[in-house]
């Protein structure tokens, strides 16, 4: 994919998203050509700027690989929002922009005079999008939260893993990487379409816990209707058998295999060479397989343990059975042929990190695919562009604001 | 519902979507429908395979009682159509003329083989936005591979990160692969829609569930890119010193030991209830601070505090954890959650679906919607929305369609087939 067209060129976003969930959304808009101006301040640094992972020998606020991946193609302007004059400057910027984002606790933007009711006076068709943890209203709306906890509180942990073990869930701040940035992106795009059609903007709220709950499938409906509490089932599925991760040759190497119907079962038996035991009555029908699932898993693992996960996946897939390597970071970046063919990882050169990899755009559009073009901005690197060019400040005025730590 | 409600603006009310999606895409078409799009679910005669997926109402495995189908097909209309027949393909093309978006999840090449690929449909409707979701994408060496949610979650790198070393990695529950891919296809469609608003040009959207998962994980790839190290699963200690999973009186909570960074405040609370044992002694507070510092230092300076330091105090750590866990067993998740919020301590409960349905916060926020199922004589509580667009609110207006429920509306009233023709089509296996 070379020079992709940039479909969102012309949209300007004043981006107060910080840390994780929000920036991953505004990043997509930047990749597709929107001018995303990340509003930051030395007085209140985006926490993800200082976070590992770092390349050996590097550190500091520009060199984090996670921050880089999350903010490619964005601009950065520093503005110390604790100062009243900064808020007036923010308003001037918003007056010439299309969207304002934030994922602060509720009322931070209101307290800065940048609530929707105020912004609408400056720009009637403004779209404002905010990501409060528990929503703007309600008994818990003042509660703080964070990705891993929000994921746990959403019900996803409860649905994951062995039911007799502590529900440790995904092991990552999944709500920050999965549901929340996506719902934010979708809501904002829908609002932009609506504005194209009607000329109207609006306020959008992405309550992080509710957005994450929406990724739990039928768990809530099953309890509401049937009184049944869905729970983690190890790696099994009520719809399929076999359905699990099987240990393979190598250090902590696994491959999943999933068989959903009789046709796939017969194909599976062929792949493993139709050993004696597949004819056993314990495994002949889907009901009997489910009843003997633990024994079945053990027998399958005797086969997989002699093979690498690559061999298991390829043999199964070529035989028409769904299977996949449980991939780690090295698999994803170095070994996976499909991700390479799909150009999932883009190589960028970063002044402090050096050559590194970032995720590509999350979908392939045939005419306007967008393109990942630049590494994440160094702190404040676009101050001249934003303040002198966009806002027309003189050099003297900008110098004063820098000295007074308003542009800071 | 009053007149005012039914006339409330919707963000996508001007869009029609033809929905051929299976599990890998149907969350996306649900999102489109719930934002007001006119989504027409096109099912094979006799109904969609998804209607055979449980759970079922009262565990009755009936095609009109699948909660899976109900949940993912809110607000949609439903017609039956056999795309394997020439009549069906022609009828489908007439529908494409009236549609803005088409979503499908068939194996790559299948729609082409029916004469209904993007190149074909583009000539029928140049403004069409056609979107495909598959396990691995439309291109590449794995494009014809079979995929289900677990294959997406494994090959995308999410599965490896969860669970306990020495045991198989955890398959995340709730169909994360399908949700991530279903979300990404909507984003792609809406970008295409924006472009079309400005230029009148349609286009094709290609989503790979594997890639959607790879982009839904935090830092596994960058961790490796930084220093060739593999990020592994760490069991209960999701981030030691900051996030662990602890049992309490009525379930589990997630927090650092003694709440992490603000452990002194929590120790005071424990002490006020006579549950602090000897923890206030310096030999324990010293170790507690190291446990927390180790995580905090990583945050602030990115330097790793020497892990051997913690290894020098196994007895103290064991004692601290025992006293802490004994304290937790005297409190419910709600008590811990509320008190820790007041103390400014990061602690969150691990909730089940029941906890969420009973949560007064979610109830007050009207997070659950009652949806009527007149045929069953019942009303069920559905979840949502994932976002609140104040100008164009999300809404569930109606339940998922019955099989062929809107055949008359679409075929007779809109496409102008006669009643006799409809009967002939039915008998011919076309609808």
């Amino acid at each position: 994919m070379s020079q992709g067209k940039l479909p969102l060129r012309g949209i300007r976003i004043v981006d107060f998203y910080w840390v994780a969930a929000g920036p991953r959304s505004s990043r997509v808009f930047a990749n597709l050509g929107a001018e995303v101006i990340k509003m930051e301040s030395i007085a209140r640094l985006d926490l993800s700027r200082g976070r590992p992972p770092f390349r050996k020998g590097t550190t500091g606020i520009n060199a984090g690989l996670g921050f880089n991946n999350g903010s490619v193609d964005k601009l950065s302007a520093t503005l110390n929002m604790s100062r009243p004059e900064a808020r007036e400057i923010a308003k001037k910027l918003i007056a010439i922009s299309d969207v304002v984002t934030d994922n602060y606790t509720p009322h931070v933007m209101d307290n800065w005079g940048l609530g929707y009711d105020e912004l609408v006076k400056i720009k009637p068709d403004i779209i404002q999008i905010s990501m409060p943890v528990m929503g703007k209203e309600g008994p818990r709306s003042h509660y703080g939260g964070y990705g891993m906890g929000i994921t746990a509180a959403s019900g996803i942990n409860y649905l994951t893993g062995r039911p007799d073990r502590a529900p440790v869930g995904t092991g990552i701040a999944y709500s920050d990487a999965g549901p929340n940035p996506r719902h934010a992106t979708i809501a904002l795009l829908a609002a932009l379409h609506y504005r194209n059609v009607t000329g109207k903007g609006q306020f959008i709220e992405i309550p992080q816990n509710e957005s994450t709950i929406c990724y739990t499938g039928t768990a809530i409906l099953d309890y509401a209707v049937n009184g049944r509490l869905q729970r983690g089932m190890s790696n099994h599925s009520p719809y399929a058998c076999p359905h699990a991760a099987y240990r393979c040759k190598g250090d902590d190497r696994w491959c999943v295999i999933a068989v959903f119907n009789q046709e796939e079962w017969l194909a599976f038996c062929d792949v493993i060479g139709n050993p004696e035991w597949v004819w056993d009555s314990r495994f002949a029908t889907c009901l009997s397989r489910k009843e003997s699932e633990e024994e079945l898993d053990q027998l399958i693992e005797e086969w997989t343990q002699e093979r690498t996960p690559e061999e298991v996946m390829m043999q199964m897939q070529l035989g028409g059975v769904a299977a996949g390597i449980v991939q780690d970071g090295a698999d994803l970046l170095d070994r996976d042929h499909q991700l390479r063919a799909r150009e999932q990882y883009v190589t960028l050169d970063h002044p402090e990190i050096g050559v590194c990899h970032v995720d590509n755009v999350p979908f392939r559009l045939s005419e306007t695919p967008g393109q990942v073009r630049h590494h994440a901005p160094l702190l404040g690197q676009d101050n001249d562009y934003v303040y002198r060019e966009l806002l027309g400040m003189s050099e003297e005025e900008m110098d004063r604001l820098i000295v007074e730590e308003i542009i800071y | 519902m009053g007149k005012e409600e039914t006339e409330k603006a919707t963000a996508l009310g001007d869009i029609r979507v033809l929905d051929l999606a299976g599990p890998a895409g149907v969350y996306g078409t649900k999102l489109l429908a719930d934002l007001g799009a006119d989504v027409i679910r096109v099912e094979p005669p006799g109904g969609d395979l998804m209607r055979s997926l449980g759970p079922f109402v009262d565990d009755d495995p009936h095609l009109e009682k699948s909660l899976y189908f109900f949940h993912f097909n809110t607000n949609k209309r439903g017609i039956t159509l056999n795309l394997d027949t020439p009549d069906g393909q022609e009828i489908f093309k007439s529908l494409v003329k009236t549609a803005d978006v088409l979503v499908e999840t068939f194996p790559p090449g299948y729609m082409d083989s029916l004469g209904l690929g993007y190149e074909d449909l583009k000539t029928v409707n140049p403004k069409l936005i056609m979107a495909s979701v598959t396990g691995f994408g439309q291109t590449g060496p794995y494009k014809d591979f079979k995929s289900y949610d677990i294959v997406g979650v494994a090959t995308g790198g999410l599965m490896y990160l969860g669970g306990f070393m020495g045991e198989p990695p955890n398959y995340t529950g709730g169909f994360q692969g399908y949700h991530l891919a279903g979300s990404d296809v909507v984003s792609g469609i809406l970008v295409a829609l924006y472009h079309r608003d400005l230029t009148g040009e349609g286009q094709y959207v290609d989503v790979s569930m594997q890639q959607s998962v790879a982009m839904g994980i935090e830092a596994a790839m960058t961790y490796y890119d930084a220093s060739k190290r593999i990020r592994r699963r760490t069991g209960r200690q999701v981030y030691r010193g900051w996030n662990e999973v602890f049992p309490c009186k009525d379930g589990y909570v997630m927090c650092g030991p003694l709440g992490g960074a603000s452990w002194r405040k929590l120790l005071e609370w424990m002490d006020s209830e006579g549950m602090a044992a000897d923890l206030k002694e310096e030999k324990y507070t010293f170790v507690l601070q190291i446990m927390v510092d180790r995580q905090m230092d990583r945050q602030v300076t990115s330097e790793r505090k020497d892990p051997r330091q913690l290894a020098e105090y196994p007895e103290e750590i064991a004692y601290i954890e025992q006293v802490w866990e004994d304290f937790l067993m005297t409190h419910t998740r709600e008590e811990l959650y509320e008190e820790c919020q007041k103390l400014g301590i990061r602690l969150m409960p691990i909730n089940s679906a029941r906890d969420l349905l009973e949560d007064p916060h979610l109830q007050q926020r009207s997070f659950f919607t009652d949806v009527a199922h007149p045929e069953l004589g019942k009303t069920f509580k559905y979840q949502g929305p994932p976002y609140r667009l104040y100008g164009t609110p999300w809404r569930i207006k109606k339940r998922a369609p019955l099989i062929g429920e809107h055949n008359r509306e679409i075929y007779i009233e809109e496409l102008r087939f006669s009643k006799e023709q409809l009967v002939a089509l039915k008998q011919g296996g076309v609808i």
Side-chain angles (χ1 to χ4, degrees):
Chain A
M1 179 167 64
S2 55
Q3 292 308 120
K5 281 213 229 144
L6 301 174
L8 301 185
R9 196 177 348 229
I11 296 175
R12 180 172 294 131
I13 301 179
V14 179
D15 185 19
F16 288 99
Y17 280 148
W18 70 328
V19 193
R24 288 200 179 93
S25 173
S26 54
R27 180 242 213 244
V28 176
F29 288 82
N31 301 149
L32 294 164
E35 186 176 89
V36 178
I37 304 173
K38 185 175 173 65
M39 305 303 293
E40 320 191 57
S41 178
I42 298 170
R44 192 184 186 185
L45 213 50
D46 184 329
L47 294 175
S48 64
R49 271 197 180 272
R51 274 193 190 153
F54 292 96
R55 283 267 164 80
K56 197 169 173 156
T58 66
T59 189
I61 58 177
N62 291 315
L65 272 80
F67 175 78
N68 184 44
N69 194 14
S71 286
V72 286
D73 294 331
K74 296 181 194 172
L75 283 64
S76 168
T78 48
L79 191 59
N80 184 355
M81 295 299 290
S82 65
R83 310 285 292 279
E85 199 176 342
R87 300 162 197 181
E88 293 310 308
I89 294 171
K91 280 189 182 157
K92 291 199 183 118
L93 189 56
I94 290 167
I96 54 167
S97 303
D98 300 281
V99 179
V100 183
T101 66
D102 84 277
N103 59 327
Y104 297 131
T105 52
H107 311 307
V108 167
M109 294 294 270
D110 295 330
N111 292 341
W112 285 345
L114 299 180
Y116 182 70
D117 291 338
E118 287 302 310
L119 296 185
V120 129
K121 296 178 196 165
I122 308 167
K123 188 142 201 296
D125 65 349
I126 194 74
I127 297 169
Q128 183 174 30
I129 177 166
S130 194
M131 296 177 78
V133 171
M134 287 283 161
K136 268 194 97 152
E137 311 284 334
R140 299 201 213 273
S141 62
H142 58 287
Y143 280 25
Y146 59 98
M148 231 164 288
I150 292 166
T151 312
S154 73
I156 287 178
N157 283 36
Y158 203 80
L159 297 170
T160 300
R162 280 168 49 177
D164 59 331
R165 294 288 235 136
V168 299
T170 60
I172 60 169
Y174 177 64
S175 62
D176 287 342
N180 291 336
R182 280 168 182 73
H183 287 139
T185 297
I186 289 167
L188 181 50
L189 287 169
L192 283 167
H193 169 71
Y194 182 71
R195 196 185 70 166
N196 283 344
V197 174
T198 63
K200 293 185 190 164
Q202 61 187 305
F203 177 75
I204 303 171
E205 179 190 329
I206 318 285
Q208 293 193 41
N209 74 321
E210 290 169 18
S211 155
T212 310
I213 293 169
C214 285
Y215 267 35
T216 57
T218 55
I220 284 187
L221 202 53
D222 204 3
Y223 187 75
V225 174
N226 292 326
R228 172 172 39 230
L229 206 51
Q230 287 180 12
R231 188 76 172 88
M233 295 175 63
S234 307
N235 293 329
H236 292 154
S237 160
Y239 310 115
C241 178
H243 183 285
Y246 298 98
R247 195 184 278 279
C248 300
K249 202 155 77 173
D251 177 28
D252 196 41
R253 300 294 283 160
W254 304 83
C255 188
V256 298
I257 300 173
V259 168
F260 274 72
N261 54 52
Q262 191 67 10
E263 189 193 323
E264 290 174 4
W265 168 249
L266 294 173
F268 170 80
C269 294
D270 276 345
V271 173
I272 62 172
N274 287 303
E276 280 289 318
W277 59 263
V278 307
W279 307 120
D280 191 301
S281 60
R282 280 173 298 162
F283 309 118
T285 71
C286 79
L287 271 182
S288 64
R289 282 195 287 279
K290 213 51 185 154
E291 275 158 32
S292 314
E293 193 157 23
E294 274 190 44
E295 294 171 71
L296 179 59
D297 283 342
Q298 277 167 18
L299 288 162
I300 294 173
E301 205 159 68
E302 283 171 22
W303 186 86
T304 61
Q305 276 186 129
E306 312 208 317
R307 292 160 176 80
T308 65
E310 291 79 5
E311 285 167 343
V312 173
M313 178 177 177
M314 289 308 140
Q315 285 180 38
M316 286 290 157
Q317 287 287 3
L318 292 173
V321 179
I325 302 167
V326 182
Q327 305 218 95
D328 62 27
D331 291 315
L332 293 173
L333 195 53
D334 285 351
R335 294 193 277 263
D336 187 306
H337 299 296
Q338 182 65 6
L339 291 177
R340 184 156 308 189
R342 298 282 291 177
E343 297 177 336
Q344 170 61 24
Y345 300 115
V346 177
T347 310
L348 287 179
D349 202 353
H350 185 290
E352 295 186 27
I353 300 172
V355 173
C356 61
H357 296 90
V358 296
D359 288 305
N360 210 333
V361 179
F363 33 78
R364 302 284 176 273
L365 297 183
S366 60
E367 304 302 316
T368 60
Q371 193 185 10
V372 173
R373 305 173 308 282
H374 311 297
H375 58 77
L378 309 181
L379 183 65
Q381 76 176 28
D382 300 289
N383 280 348
D384 275 347
Y385 169 71
V386 171
Y387 296 119
R388 310 246 8 244
E389 238 183 274
L390 287 185
L391 293 184
M393 280 183 198
S394 67
E395 203 178 326
E396 293 73 34
E397 201 184 336
M398 199 173 147
D399 283 343
R400 174 185 70 81
L401 292 167
I402 292 172
V403 161
E404 293 184 17
E405 296 190 346
I406 291 169
I407 294 180
Y408 175 71
Chain B
M1 204 172 293
K3 190 169 191 287
E4 206 194 289
E5 268 291 316
T6 52
E7 283 173 8
K8 258 214 181 89
T10 61
L12 301 179
D14 58 324
I15 300 302
R16 170 174 281 188
V17 179
L18 295 178
D19 180 10
L20 297 175
V26 82
Y27 180 67
T29 48
K30 169 184 163 64
L31 289 181
L32 292 170
D34 294 348
L35 281 170
D38 172 26
V39 178
I40 299 172
R41 179 130 196 95
V42 181
E43 304 183 50
D48 199 288
L49 282 179
M50 268 194 295
R51 292 175 180 276
S52 300
L53 294 178
F56 295 92
V57 179
D58 296 330
D59 288 341
D60 178 8
H62 185 282
L63 293 180
E64 301 286 16
K65 288 189 177 178
S66 158
L67 292 177
Y68 193 102
F69 191 84
F70 285 174
H71 173 70
F72 286 109
N73 292 287
T74 47
N75 281 327
K76 299 178 189 174
R77 292 194 284 172
I79 60 175
T80 52
L81 188 60
N82 186 348
L83 296 180
D84 279 323
T85 62
D87 283 282
Q89 288 151 17
E90 282 315 300
I91 293 172
F92 189 73
K93 285 183 187 167
S94 327
L95 284 171
V96 165
K97 279 210 190 83
T98 72
D100 300 283
V101 176
L102 163 63
V103 184
E104 60 93 13
T105 58
F106 292 114
Y110 179 72
M111 292 291 279
D112 290 317
S113 73
L114 301 178
L116 299 176
Y118 180 59
E119 293 305 313
D120 304 301
L121 297 180
K122 203 162 84 166
T123 59
V124 170
N125 179 354
K127 296 179 72 142
L128 181 72
I129 295 163
M130 179 167 172
S132 302
V133 184
T134 50
F136 295 97
Q138 296 291 316
T139 57
Y142 297 2
K143 72 177 171 68
D144 297 318
F145 280 5
K146 247 197 170 143
S147 184
Y148 292 103
D149 187 78
I150 191 174
V151 174
V153 171
T155 57
L158 175 58
M159 190 164 170
Y160 192 76
L161 300 170
F164 297 79
M165 285 303 283
E167 293 175 13
N170 276 349
Y171 168 46
T172 328
F175 307 111
Q176 299 314 309
Y178 292 158
H179 282 99
L180 290 166
S183 304
D184 283 342
V185 77
V186 173
S187 298
I189 287 167
L190 293 178
V191 172
L193 187 60
Y194 184 88
H195 176 70
R196 198 187 78 168
D197 289 342
L198 270 46
T199 64
E201 189 179 51
Q203 62 185 306
Y204 182 69
V205 181
D206 167 13
V207 169
S208 144
M209 176 169 51
Q210 180 196 23
Q211 289 182 274
S212 293
V213 172
M215 264 176 294
I217 60 179
E218 166 242 324
M221 182 278 290
T222 52
Y223 204 77
Y224 182 73
D225 198 30
S227 51
K228 300 291 182 207
R229 288 166 69 188
I230 305 292
R231 184 163 168 164
R232 302 204 193 266
R233 52 200 185 285
T234 52
R236 266 184 46 173
Q237 295 157 4
V238 189
Y239 277 131
R240 171 114 241 200
W242 194 29
N243 259 318
E244 296 185 38
V245 174
F246 294 107
C248 66
K249 188 172 180 184
D250 66 342
Y252 292 90
V253 291
M254 182 177 270
C255 59
L258 269 80
S262 302
W263 58 266
R264 284 185 181 82
K265 291 194 223 170
L266 210 141
L267 188 52
E268 284 309 316
W269 179 22
M270 289 166 71
D271 198 27
S272 75
E273 298 191 352
M275 297 290 301
D278 295 335
L279 280 192
K280 288 180 109 169
E281 286 174 27
E282 209 200 300
K283 73 174 190 173
Y284 295 118
T285 58
F286 174 69
V287 173
L288 262 167
Q289 191 58 50
I290 299 177
M291 284 166 80
V292 169
D293 278 349
R294 183 161 172 265
Q295 180 59 28
M296 295 311 291
D297 275 347
R298 287 190 64 210
Q299 295 303 307
V300 171
T301 66
S302 86
E303 285 166 18
R304 289 192 156 251
K305 195 113 185 160
D306 189 343
R308 285 175 295 176
Q309 203 177 6
L310 271 183
E312 290 167 29
Y313 303 103
E315 282 166 26
E316 287 82 351
I317 292 174
Y319 181 77
I320 289 168
E321 292 189 329
Q322 187 60 57
V323 173
W324 166 237
E325 295 188 17
D326 286 345
F327 169 73
L328 287 174
M329 291 308 281
T330 66
H331 284 288
T332 63
R333 286 166 307 136
E334 186 60 38
E335 286 164 0
L336 292 164
Y337 191 28
E338 267 194 54
E339 189 62 29
C340 283
Q341 283 293 329
K342 289 189 199 135
L343 295 174
I345 291 173
R346 302 184 149 208
L347 176 146
M348 292 187 83
I350 295 184
N351 287 325
S352 69
R354 173 176 49 212
D355 299 322
L356 297 172
L357 279 159
E358 293 174 358
D359 183 350
H361 176 75
L362 292 175
Q363 285 173 0
Q364 269 197 47
R365 285 179 53 80
S366 304
F367 179 65
F368 302 104
T369 308
D370 284 328
V371 180
H373 285 257
E375 313 65 43
L376 302 175
K378 297 197 173 151
T379 299
F380 298 138
K381 257 194 205 325
Y382 282 65
Q383 76 203 30
Y387 27 59
R388 309 215 173 191
L389 284 77
Y390 281 41
T392 57
W394 176 104
R395 230 155 81 246
I396 297 182
K397 292 186 300 200
K398 58 183 194 286
R399 52 140 177 77
L402 306 174
I403 298 171
E405 184 174 351
H406 300 93
N407 279 358
R408 290 180 62 89
E409 250 176 62
I410 300 292
Y411 291 128
I412 295 181
E413 289 168 36
E414 205 181 299
L415 294 185
R416 298 261 169 254
F417 284 104
S418 68
K419 281 198 275 188
E420 292 74 27
Q421 283 173 315
L422 212 61
V423 169
L425 287 171
K426 187 62 165 172
Q427 287 171 175
V430 179
I431 65 166

